[in-house]
Amino acid sequence: MTKISTYAAHLQTLANFRVNREAASVLGNQLATGFKATDLSYFGNDARRLLDLRETIKRREGYIAAIDRVAPRLTAYDQTLGQIEKLGDDLSRSLGGLNNVADLAEFAPRLTQMIEDARFYLNQRFGDRYLYSGTRFATPPVGDIAALPDLPALAVSPPTNEVTSPTLPAYDAQAPGSSADAWRTEQFVADDGRTLSYGITSNATAFQDLVLALRHARSAVNDPTNLGIHLGNAKAFAAAANAAIRDLRGQLSGTQATIDRFRSAHADTNAFIRSQVDAIDKADINEVAAKLIRVKTQIEASYATTRQIASLSLVDFLR
């Protein structure tokens, strides 16, 4: 009976040793990585939920990355629009001070610079693409405004001479003709089922009116005998352009606020989901350390018992 008891105790000790050694390995990995396991089978019924939560985090991180790519472009739009708005305001003030041929002569060099500035701002680039080119990313959208002919001395006001998609305005680098790409703004997916359009094209009515105001002003310089008609046209188109440019900046601010809200919502949701993921797969380091100490103590006890049994003589073992 003693022989059987001793053998059974030895087998139990070996079994305990194996169990504790495996537990020590698991606990050691948890202590090193901070996670309960890397093998999903460890989590049983929570494995599917864990996969779903991780996929949701990844998807929302993708939306945040898309927003982060778009946000600097919107800032670039706002900065250039600010300069174009100043140009329009400057033009309106200058037009208000023109009363005679002498004023026109003094204004002419400044007008030439304004025309060049309008082309410069509308041909601004961000990275490898032109901001205002629609989806013709590699194509500068605005041609030589200064090379366009003077306008006839006919009293007109907006929307006269404005064009709509897909027709290209006279100042477009690819005019005359039409191009849907020149009018098409960019889009990106900001959330599940939410695609947002953003951007402004050089063909926007605000810019058409600004260029027409500049051309009417130049026509006044070149045809002073019809100063009143040309100047009246220039003022009308400049006023329309300035109002439309302010509207564009307002719309741009709205778009910026919208994507900021999406970004905050994604970040907040991911923070909440990560807390759920952590509750499933993150190890409590203090608890793990305490368990590891207990398991090591049990392993050491198994070693001691094994050494004691191994030291018995055959006669002692068989008693």
Side-chain angles (χ1 to χ4, degrees):
M1 184 67 179
T2 303
K3 175 176 64 177
I4 296 174
S5 298
T6 303
Y7 181 65
H10 181 59
L11 291 178
Q12 185 61 50
T13 298
L14 291 176
N16 290 340
F17 174 75
R18 284 195 295 269
V19 169
N20 288 326
R21 186 175 60 183
E22 291 174 359
S25 177
V26 171
L27 291 168
N29 287 333
Q30 291 179 350
L31 195 62
T33 64
F35 296 99
K36 293 176 182 176
T38 56
D39 186 349
L40 284 174
S41 63
Y42 174 91
F43 299 100
N45 294 333
D46 281 333
R48 180 71 260 175
R49 181 165 176 260
L50 190 58
L51 283 173
D52 291 341
L53 291 173
R54 287 173 176 171
E55 178 58 32
T56 299
I57 290 174
K58 183 178 179 181
R59 187 172 69 254
R60 291 184 180 277
E61 285 177 341
Y63 294 144
I64 290 174
I67 290 171
D68 288 345
R69 286 193 297 270
V70 169
R73 297 175 194 169
L74 295 183
T75 299
Y77 277 117
D78 186 59
Q79 291 172 344
T80 54
L81 271 180
Q83 295 302 315
I84 295 171
E85 184 177 15
K86 290 179 182 178
L87 173 61
D89 289 339
D90 190 15
L91 176 61
S92 290
R93 284 193 298 270
S94 298
L95 293 173
L98 299 178
N99 299 302
N100 52 53
V101 175
D103 292 337
L104 289 175
E106 184 178 349
F107 173 60
R110 185 167 181 78
L111 176 61
T112 298
Q113 185 60 54
M114 288 180 178
I115 291 172
E116 287 303 313
D117 287 346
R119 182 187 185 188
F120 172 76
Y121 292 130
L122 291 175
N123 279 339
Q124 284 297 295
R125 298 182 69 166
F126 182 83
D128 60 350
R129 62 179 62 188
Y130 287 91
L131 274 175
Y132 294 95
S133 64
T135 53
R136 305 173 295 174
F137 305 122
T139 303
V142 177
D144 188 358
I145 300 173
L148 296 174
D150 288 342
L151 296 169
L154 299 172
V156 292
S157 61
T160 305
N161 295 327
E162 294 175 358
V163 298
T164 57
S165 177
T167 303
L168 297 172
Y171 59 84
D172 192 277
Q174 295 179 326
S178 62
S179 170
D181 288 340
W183 290 84
R184 187 176 293 118
T185 55
E186 294 187 74
Q187 295 181 327
F188 76 102
V189 179
D191 198 357
D192 296 344
R194 289 297 304 273
T195 299
L196 297 181
S197 297
Y198 74 96
I200 305 165
T201 73
S202 60
N203 303 316
T205 301
F207 304 142
Q208 292 189 48
D209 287 345
L210 177 62
V211 172
L212 286 168
L214 291 167
R215 293 179 66 191
H216 280 296
R218 191 186 61 186
S219 298
V221 171
N222 294 336
D223 181 21
T225 58
N226 290 300
L227 173 62
I229 295 176
H230 291 306
L231 195 56
N233 293 345
K235 289 179 178 178
F237 280 98
N242 290 338
I245 290 169
R246 285 191 289 273
D247 285 345
L248 287 177
R249 294 198 77 182
Q251 294 168 19
L252 184 63
S253 295
T255 301
Q256 289 174 314
T258 297
I259 70 169
D260 285 346
R261 285 195 298 272
F262 273 113
R263 195 188 193 290
S264 295
H266 290 316
D268 291 344
T269 300
N270 270 0
F272 174 70
I273 295 174
R274 284 193 181 95
S275 69
Q276 294 180 303
V277 170
D278 288 347
I280 297 173
D281 74 350
K282 199 168 185 179
D284 184 327
I285 299 302
N286 292 329
E287 181 182 345
V288 169
K291 286 182 179 179
L292 188 57
I293 291 173
R294 289 197 298 271
V295 168
K296 285 184 176 180
T297 300
Q298 291 169 358
I299 290 174
E300 289 171 0
S302 296
Y303 274 129
T305 300
T306 300
R307 283 197 300 270
Q308 183 179 4
I309 293 173
S311 67
L312 294 176
S313 67
L314 181 58
V315 174
D316 292 332
F317 184 75
L318 294 177
R319 282 180 181 174

